[in-house]
Amino acid sequence: MDFSAISPSLLIASLMVASTPILLAALGELVVEKAGVLNLGVEGMMIMGAICGFATAVETGSPALGFIVGAIGAAALSLIFAILTQYLMSNQVATGLALTLFGLGFSSLIGQGYVGIRPPAVAKLDLGPLSEIPFAGTAFFKHDLMVYLTIGLCLAIWFTLTRTRLGLTIRALGENHDAAHALGYKVITMRIFAILFGGACAGLGGAYLSLIRVPQWTEGMTAGAGWIALAIVVFGSWRPLRVLLGAYLFGGFTVLQLNLQAAGLAIPVEYLSMSPYIITILVLVFMSAPRSGSKKSKPLSAPACLGRSFYNSN
Amino acid sequence: MIVLEKRPSPSKLWTALTPILAVIATMIAGSIMFAILGKDPFEAIRTIFWDPLFSEQFAAFSRPQLLVKATPLILIAIGLSIGFRAGVWNIGAEGQYIMGAVFGAAVGLAFYPLESVFIYPLMVIAGAIGGFLWAMIPGILRVKFHTNEILVSLLLVYVAEFILASVSLGLLRNPDGAGFPGSRNLKEYASAFNGELLVNTGIHWGTIAAMIAVIFAYILFARHTMGFHLRLAGEAPKAAQFAGVKPGYLVLFCFAVSGAFAGLAGLFEVSGPAGQINIDFNVGYGFTAIIVAFLGRLNPIGILLAGLLMALTYIGGELASFMLGIPDAAIQAFQGMLLFFLLAVDVLSNYRFRLRKVEAA
């Protein structure tokens, strides 16, 4: 067992890279759930983004275009979910699951010819003197653009939701859609835009997986990342900065167990591999448990109208 | 402007028609997908739906396969439907299926090479217990800690897959297997083998269990107070509270039953058609069963028919990939589309379309 082989600054660097896809998907899902819609199809949208981004990058040679098309592809898939749940008022849980199953199958179909191909490389940003700092340089300043854009997105979402009128409207939709409708806000239109935004973010996360993190295309390559993203939204109590923390925590565990496997820790590989999922479950339990002394049966600050269909009865 | 108007009560006609409409819509959309893939759409649809049953070339081989594929789908879906009706979302049926198979195979292999008529019943009980225990985790966490059961049961599927890999390479590995992963093949162990009961029909003990499950669910919902409570909790939670339904008890019951059924399905599969515990033992029956449950409108007889239809798409899909080169992923996309269309046309049973004049503000 050779723990000295694990370098802390490299650990932090790979943690940030590993967390980015999940963080992107979780931020998108955060906005969707704040607007009151429970979209369980994150896994399907991520993998659609992964294959659309990968295929575009391979065909055109431009990773940037790959990211854009990945986001558009996933958003297009989420449009199906939006029409079904907002216009046709179908059950959100079942529709989300259908989205996941369809997304997984459809992406495998599109990805038939792309297994084993290497995508065009994405350059790491050169931040000059910042990258030269001994520990922090390797840990924080040697990443590609998407990592920094994701953190920026997190801050932007936090600012929008807490400090702008748009954010207030979105939160109103999620807490009481009947009141928001009475106030004159277009509930269904705004929710559809929220769902498309969530889809685009999940697509970006998936494209990050297939273009930078892995980088390759394999069937089912998200391996539950979408579900982890959903769990992280709950873990973060529907607050963007806590979601950032949760994503980095999960990414940290994933990277740590890989490093422990490489260092030769005497626990079988499968048990180390399942530890991130078990940690996520334990964290969910801890976050959902009623606090001592609290009389409320639902202590989580979930949006009150989460998962309920809006029916305009006039 | 076309608006939706809520019906005073769900329309019986449309509730029965929606699955048929959904299947027809899926066939149309599927044929468009096949046409884009460059295959003749009519031939593809015919290969998937007609040939497995009636073609002279293949039907004799594929007809028995129908029940083999339908059995685990129906068994798991019946268990899931009991929960879905009450608003209890057990999405981790795949994990419970795996754990039932692992527990059951472990019990069977523990007795090797003893031959006795008591071994198989013990394996069946072990399989049910395995699935039951795995389902109790999300169940108890929901009741005690209000943890979202969808996420917990789903994450446990991934944990179960790792456990499966671990036992295939370690605990249950075949000592005579030349170092390959995977357990001893239960086909060679007569007391533990779940063979065909009637030759060339594909019926095995699992099929009998599935039939019993259908009858159980039918009686539960039609005649038993528990079934009434389940339906009430799903359709009108406040009314259920007034009627004295204990929500925690209901959740645990739903998880117990669906977990046990999924575990049984896993056991019957591993001791029958699959034969051994291996890393790639699970093929996604747990997730397809969710589609079957919804396609059958959460009704036991509907699930029986929906399970047979889904099995047909599996068999037809294999035939299509063999004869026409259509990739397996296309069939998964096809099944996902089926669920989409079903959910879309479902609106017709609760709402009707009306033309309304746009009112002035």
Side-chain angles (χ1 to χ4, degrees):
Chain A
M1 228 169 10
D2 183 16
F3 283 130
S4 63
I6 305 177
S7 143
S9 60
L10 278 177
L11 196 67
I12 297 179
S14 49
L15 180 163
M16 288 179 76
V17 172
S19 313
T20 303
I22 303 176
L23 181 58
L24 276 168
L27 286 173
E29 181 64 14
L30 176 89
V31 173
V32 175
E33 290 195 11
K34 272 295 200 193
V37 180
L38 181 62
N39 185 355
L40 289 180
V42 186
E43 182 83 357
M45 298 189 297
M46 273 185 92
I47 200 150
M48 270 304 283
I51 186 55
C52 289
F54 189 84
T56 313
V58 164
E59 299 294 338
T60 63
S62 157
L65 199 61
F67 273 106
I68 296 174
V69 175
I72 295 177
L77 194 64
S78 68
L79 188 63
I80 305 178
F81 175 85
I83 295 175
L84 279 173
T85 50
Q86 300 308 311
Y87 283 123
L88 297 176
M89 275 170 291
S90 60
N91 182 301
Q92 289 180 11
V93 173
T95 314
L97 287 171
L99 189 68
T100 299
L101 292 171
F102 178 70
L104 285 169
F106 196 60
S107 61
S108 304
L109 197 59
I110 307 177
Q112 291 288 311
Y114 290 101
V115 183
I117 302 181
R118 289 209 73 90
V122 177
K124 299 238 190 293
L125 279 188
D126 178 21
L127 289 171
L130 282 174
S131 320
E132 305 300 322
I133 308 172
F135 178 85
T138 345
F140 300 115
F141 296 114
K142 280 195 181 156
H143 298 298
D144 50 272
L145 187 61
M146 272 315 279
V147 174
Y148 303 115
L149 281 179
T150 310
I151 300 177
L153 182 68
C154 178
L155 293 169
I157 291 179
W158 166 76
F159 186 79
T160 312
L161 280 178
T162 51
R163 300 270 189 272
T164 66
R165 191 175 195 88
L166 174 67
L168 186 62
T169 316
I170 295 175
R171 283 187 286 142
L173 291 178
E175 296 296 336
N176 191 336
H177 51 210
D178 291 314
H181 176 70
L183 279 171
Y185 293 124
K186 298 210 181 321
V187 175
I188 292 187
T189 313
M190 292 193 71
R191 279 184 171 173
I192 291 186
F193 275 116
I195 294 171
L196 289 175
F197 177 77
C201 285
L204 283 176
Y208 189 86
L209 259 180
S210 66
L211 287 175
I212 300 180
R213 168 102 172 92
V214 179
Q216 233 191 338
W217 163 257
T218 334
E219 273 188 30
M221 70 182 297
T222 45
W227 305 114
I228 307 285
L230 279 164
I232 288 176
V233 174
V234 176
F235 167 73
S237 298
W238 291 271
R239 292 187 213 175
L241 297 173
R242 289 202 192 170
V243 166
L244 181 82
L245 186 66
Y248 276 23
L249 204 68
F250 180 79
F253 266 105
T254 314
V255 159
L256 185 67
Q257 60 96 358
L258 280 172
N259 274 301
L260 287 175
Q261 281 184 33
L265 190 63
I267 299 179
V269 159
E270 291 85 22
Y271 294 112
L272 279 178
S273 303
M274 63 168 88
S275 60
Y277 299 98
I278 300 193
I279 302 285
T280 311
I281 294 177
L282 290 172
V283 160
L284 268 178
V285 171
F286 180 71
M287 292 301 297
S288 320
R291 301 277 181 266
S292 56
S294 160
K295 297 233 177 15
K296 289 184 288 190
S297 62
K298 231 187 175 312
L300 278 183
S301 48
C305 278
L306 188 61
R308 282 178 29 203
S309 294
F310 173 68
Y311 173 57
N312 180 357
S313 48
N314 358 342
Chain B
M1 190 171 83
I2 302 174
V3 291
L4 283 173
E5 183 188 84
K6 201 167 170 63
R7 290 182 203 266
S9 64
S11 155
K12 286 208 166 53
L13 171 70
W14 282 109
T15 312
L17 272 185
T18 42
I20 303 173
L21 255 178
V23 171
I24 295 175
T26 315
M27 282 196 207
I28 297 174
S31 42
I32 297 175
M33 180 173 75
F34 293 133
I36 295 177
L37 280 175
K39 317 282 177 197
D40 176 13
F42 295 111
E43 209 187 333
I45 298 291
R46 191 199 48 145
T47 314
I48 294 177
F49 287 100
W50 185 261
D51 277 350
L53 293 174
F54 300 114
S55 131
E56 287 131 22
Q57 227 181 336
F58 306 110
F61 175 70
S62 44
R63 252 185 303 221
Q65 285 296 306
L66 204 66
L67 278 178
V68 168
K69 281 276 186 325
T71 299
L73 289 176
I74 295 175
L75 192 49
I76 303 176
I78 293 279
L80 292 179
S81 69
I82 295 176
F84 290 172
R85 274 225 192 168
V88 173
W89 302 99
N90 176 7
I91 310 298
E94 185 79 356
Q96 292 138 31
Y97 170 87
I98 292 175
M99 292 313 278
V102 168
F103 270 58
V107 163
L109 289 171
F111 282 109
Y112 188 83
L114 201 64
E115 297 278 356
S116 162
V117 77
F118 290 113
I119 295 181
Y120 201 68
L122 274 174
M123 285 172 70
V124 171
I125 296 174
I129 290 178
F132 163 80
L133 287 174
W134 205 243
M136 277 292 110
I137 302 177
I140 294 179
L141 288 178
R142 164 152 167 182
V143 171
K144 278 257 173 298
F145 300 110
H146 305 286
T147 322
N148 186 317
E149 74 274 19
I150 300 177
L151 293 173
V152 176
S153 57
L154 251 170
L155 291 171
L156 284 175
V157 171
Y158 292 98
V159 177
E161 284 180 358
F162 283 121
I163 293 181
L164 179 69
S166 162
V167 297
S168 308
L169 293 166
L171 276 176
L172 292 180
R173 183 147 62 148
N174 188 355
D176 306 323
F180 283 104
S183 72
R184 208 178 286 278
N185 197 320
L186 292 170
K187 284 195 177 67
E188 289 140 26
Y189 182 22
S191 298
F193 181 51
N194 175 19
E196 262 189 331
L197 292 171
L198 296 169
V199 181
N200 258 346
T201 52
I203 297 179
H204 54 82
W205 284 116
T207 321
I208 311 284
M211 297 300 139
I212 297 176
V214 170
I215 299 174
F216 166 80
Y218 185 80
I219 297 177
L220 180 74
F221 281 114
R223 292 271 179 263
H224 202 274
T225 317
M226 188 57 151
F228 171 68
H229 283 166
L230 287 165
R231 281 174 21 218
L232 195 60
E235 289 172 34
K238 284 252 154 57
Q241 237 179 319
F242 276 115
V245 171
K246 295 193 267 298
Y249 185 63
L250 220 61
V251 169
L252 289 176
F253 176 79
C254 290
F255 270 107
V257 170
S258 53
F261 280 7
L264 280 175
L267 180 275
F268 287 122
E269 270 302 288
V270 80
S271 56
Q276 61 169 176
I277 287 279
N278 209 338
I279 302 179
D280 54 2
F281 164 68
N282 59 316
V283 286
Y285 282 142
F287 293 112
T288 315
I290 299 175
I291 304 181
V292 171
F294 279 108
L295 191 58
R297 316 294 275 109
L298 301 180
N299 174 296
I301 310 295
I303 288 175
L304 183 64
L305 298 170
L308 289 168
L309 180 64
M310 273 308 207
L312 186 61
T313 60
Y314 264 120
I315 308 284
E318 280 172 13
L319 207 60
S321 80
F322 176 62
M323 294 290 293
L324 299 171
I326 292 177
D328 287 330
I331 298 303
Q332 210 187 342
F334 199 74
Q335 289 171 343
M337 258 198 287
L338 184 58
L339 189 54
F340 266 143
F341 279 115
L342 188 71
L343 290 166
V345 297
D346 195 26
V347 71
L348 290 168
S349 44
N350 284 316
Y351 297 86
R352 53 166 81 99
F353 284 102
R354 282 277 175 276
L355 287 167
R356 283 264 179 81
K357 283 202 173 46
V358 178
E359 286 145 19

